[in-house]
Amino acid sequence: IISTRVDNICATRRTKIKTNLDNLFKKLSSSKSNLYRINYNTQKFPGMFVKFLGFPIKGTLIIFKSGSINYVGVKSPNNFIKLDEWVNKWIHNV
């Protein structure tokens, strides 16, 4: 091995509350943020994808109504902290 680099870090978070994805989708869509892009179609997949587009956060959240959240595509541990701050702000206030 000549060199190594972190390409993708994944994690799972389980909140103690259920998430109303319909309300969350409406709230996030109405914010018109350039920070992320949302993909939510219950007929294709039971979760909501929130893809962060770069600065200051990079990665994707897959949010399920059970309260489980998958973090994928994270490049550094600092991004986990930023994603957790975003989750605490938006998901727990729905």
Side-chain angles (χ1 to χ4, degrees):
I1 298 175
I2 297 172
S3 67
T4 61
R5 69 183 172 104
V6 174
D7 186 43
N8 187 3
I9 306 170
C10 300
T12 300
R13 176 179 177 179
R14 287 182 175 80
T15 62
K16 295 181 181 178
I17 57 171
K18 293 193 180 222
T19 304
N20 186 326
L21 294 179
D22 294 325
N23 287 348
L24 180 61
F25 179 74
K26 289 175 189 173
K27 189 174 181 181
L28 293 175
S29 296
S30 67
S31 74
K32 308 261 188 219
S33 176
N34 293 330
L35 180 65
Y36 51 81
R37 186 175 61 231
I38 309 162
N39 187 354
Y40 180 54
N41 184 343
T42 58
Q43 293 181 350
K44 289 186 177 182
F45 188 76
M48 176 188 301
F49 290 85
V50 181
K51 181 178 175 92
F52 291 86
L53 304 174
F55 186 78
I57 305 172
K58 187 165 183 117
T60 301
L61 297 175
I62 307 172
I63 305 165
F64 298 93
K65 65 180 171 182
S66 66
S68 181
I69 304 169
N70 293 341
Y71 296 67
V72 295
V74 180
K75 303 295 184 189
S76 74
N78 289 336
N79 275 325
F80 279 113
I81 295 168
K82 291 176 184 175
L83 286 169
D84 260 348
E85 290 170 354
W86 188 90
V87 165
N88 290 333
K89 177 182 176 184
W90 286 95
I91 302 224
H92 294 292
N93 295 322
V94 175

